[in-house]
Amino acid sequence: MRAVRLTVYAATAAAALTAVTGCTEKSKAEGDDAIRVTAADSTCETSTKSVPAGQVTLRIQNKGSKATEVEILFPDDRIVSEKENIGPGTSYTLTAEVKAGSYEIACRPGMKGHGVRQKLTVTGGGAAARRDPRLDEAVAAYRTYVQDQADETLPKAEAFAKAVQAGDVAAAKKAYAPSRLGWERTEPVAESFGDIDPKVDVREDGLEPGQKWTGWHRLEKALWKDGKVGAEEKALAGRLITDLKDWQRRVGKAEITPTSMANGAKELLDEVATGKVTGEEERYSHTDLVDFKGNVEGAQKAYELLKPVARKNDPALTKELDRQFAALDALLDKYRAGKNSYDFVSYDKVGDSDRKHLSDAVNALAEPLSKLAAAVVK
């Protein structure tokens, strides 16, 4: 869910999906030659306008007074890679992979609007280095995984929509959380398209000026706060299915790389830190722990697929990640209310102390997970 995010317990960070495939060579923008991005409230400055294709590093510094988001964009505004919630006075390093072509680097103060942009040309000179074939296997397996999640989501979402359209509030509430699991597991892939997430998963406070509120959270509010559905909500349930079918059709065409998988795993943990742990994501239904578990499962899937190469390059990192994933999984299991993957206690029943423990566990995992992208391209 892409929206303005507030931090209660966890330090925020989010690195999103890269969207290119193929063999890569390390860009001269690596290390001391990284692209330096200086963001402010009304400016976005970059240290270079051209880099060679391959691995590229952005060293981002926010000198403005608002949290900002920095994105690498294709000409059609699809996201190649992004970092959200860069707070005032803070810095972040983002590793991505880019192929030859024309791009833009955008800074979005307040994480709103079109943003301030700079052109970036990626040249295709040099021979691409062959990468470990296990990384290609990981990408192929992850592509299958995200398609399977989309395919499995549709019938669950249709059950939810049918309950809404029938005016059956109780049945719709029961179907709501299961309908979201596949989306939550693979959300960075959907966000890479740019236009799907705002239709299906935006919260009211994340709307752009003039944007009509549609999707799951609009219906969540009707079901839990209003306790009823009318003609508008029934129409929105149908639109949700239309938009999710669009996601299902397009997800198989997403361009995925090993670094995008690693960055996406980190982004899923940041989704937990900025929305689920705080209780903001499911503020009416309080089904946050279902989303929480989905995000963790999606991150762990990407990690497990990349693990053979990461373990070879950085065994200490994978040992720590194994430990922290196990600890977070064990902690989440304490809040189960049944044996199904969506049976968790209502999050409004989870006290501040327990939320702090959850936040600490997320942060303990997020720190080593932020190093995964670098480990797989060593």
Side-chain angles (χ1 to χ4, degrees):
M1 182 278 314
R2 303 190 66 216
V4 175
R5 290 162 181 157
L6 306 176
T7 302
V8 175
Y9 299 109
T12 60
L17 220 344
T18 317
V20 292
T21 57
C23 298
T24 62
E25 63 174 340
K26 291 192 176 183
S27 166
K28 292 179 182 178
E30 181 185 283
D32 290 339
D33 292 324
I35 301 174
R36 285 167 173 76
V37 181
T38 305
D41 290 345
S42 59
T43 60
C44 183
E45 299 175 357
T46 57
S47 61
T48 184
K49 297 292 190 291
S50 178
V51 295
Q55 181 186 335
V56 63
T57 299
L58 270 61
R59 300 202 188 282
I60 305 163
Q61 185 175 15
N62 182 7
K63 292 188 175 181
S65 63
K66 308 172 184 176
T68 195
E69 177 177 344
V70 174
E71 304 165 329
I72 305 174
L73 300 166
F74 284 114
D76 61 2
D77 274 0
R78 283 179 298 133
I79 297 170
V80 178
S81 195
E82 69 175 348
K83 169 66 183 83
E84 298 177 344
N85 280 305
I86 306 170
T90 63
S91 301
Y92 189 84
T93 298
L94 177 63
T95 299
E97 294 171 60
V98 289
K99 60 184 178 181
S102 298
Y103 300 85
E104 289 184 331
I105 294 177
C107 305
R108 300 176 61 223
M111 298 174 59
K112 290 283 189 178
H114 183 77
V116 184
R117 304 189 178 200
Q118 297 288 350
K119 301 290 186 182
L120 178 68
T121 299
V122 178
T123 59
R130 295 189 63 83
R131 70 186 180 197
D132 191 317
R134 290 176 296 180
L135 292 177
D136 294 317
E137 293 171 5
V139 168
Y142 188 69
R143 187 180 300 281
T144 299
Y145 173 72
V146 296
Q147 184 66 65
D148 287 346
Q149 291 301 309
D151 293 344
E152 292 168 12
T153 292
L154 255 295
K156 296 175 182 177
E158 287 170 342
F160 169 66
K162 286 178 182 177
V164 172
Q165 291 169 335
D168 190 336
V169 172
K173 285 182 174 182
K174 185 176 180 180
Y176 174 77
S179 77
R180 291 177 48 74
L181 258 177
W183 174 273
E184 291 294 334
R185 289 171 179 145
T186 60
E187 189 171 2
V189 178
E191 287 191 355
S192 72
F193 294 113
D195 62 332
I196 299 177
D197 184 87
K199 296 176 182 177
V200 305
D201 199 35
V202 70
R203 299 194 306 256
E204 189 171 16
D205 56 345
L207 295 171
E208 299 284 357
Q211 179 184 351
K212 179 178 174 60
W213 191 17
T214 61
W216 270 302
H217 293 302
R218 169 65 178 82
L219 296 171
E220 177 203 7
K221 183 179 181 181
L223 291 168
W224 272 272
K225 186 175 182 181
D226 303 333
K228 60 182 180 180
V229 292
E232 180 181 4
E233 287 76 23
K234 292 176 182 180
L236 288 174
R239 177 170 174 177
L240 173 65
I241 300 306
T242 298
D243 291 334
L244 289 175
K245 286 181 177 178
D246 183 33
W247 165 54
Q248 181 191 33
R249 285 191 298 268
R250 294 164 65 183
V251 72
K253 300 176 183 178
E255 297 182 53
I256 299 170
T257 68
T259 55
S260 80
M261 292 168 60
N263 286 337
K266 176 60 167 59
E267 182 192 354
L268 285 169
L269 260 291
D270 295 330
E271 288 277 349
V272 174
T274 59
K276 281 67 173 184
V277 169
T278 64
E280 294 176 56
E281 179 80 357
E282 305 289 358
R283 61 190 63 173
Y284 305 110
S285 66
H286 306 299
T287 56
D288 303 89
L289 286 172
V290 182
D291 292 358
F292 192 137
K293 183 63 173 177
N295 286 160
V296 174
E297 287 176 342
Q300 192 161 9
K301 179 66 175 182
Y303 163 62
E304 292 293 343
L305 291 173
L306 296 169
K307 183 177 174 180
V309 173
R311 181 170 52 205
K312 175 185 175 183
N313 294 338
D314 194 339
L317 177 65
T318 56
K319 184 177 180 180
E320 179 65 9
L321 284 169
D322 287 343
R323 188 173 73 87
Q324 296 297 347
F325 267 117
L328 183 54
D329 286 338
L331 183 58
L332 272 173
D333 284 343
K334 294 181 179 180
Y335 299 94
R336 287 194 175 277
K339 57 186 177 181
N340 290 324
S341 58
Y342 45 83
D343 286 336
F344 283 89
V345 300
S346 180
Y347 200 58
D348 59 337
K349 307 301 183 185
V350 179
D352 288 347
S353 177
D354 285 337
R355 293 188 185 199
K356 179 63 165 58
H357 289 152
L358 287 165
S359 176
D360 289 345
V362 170
N363 287 338
L365 173 58
E367 193 279 327
L369 195 59
S370 68
K371 302 174 183 178
L372 182 60
V376 299
V377 296
K378 279 186 177 178

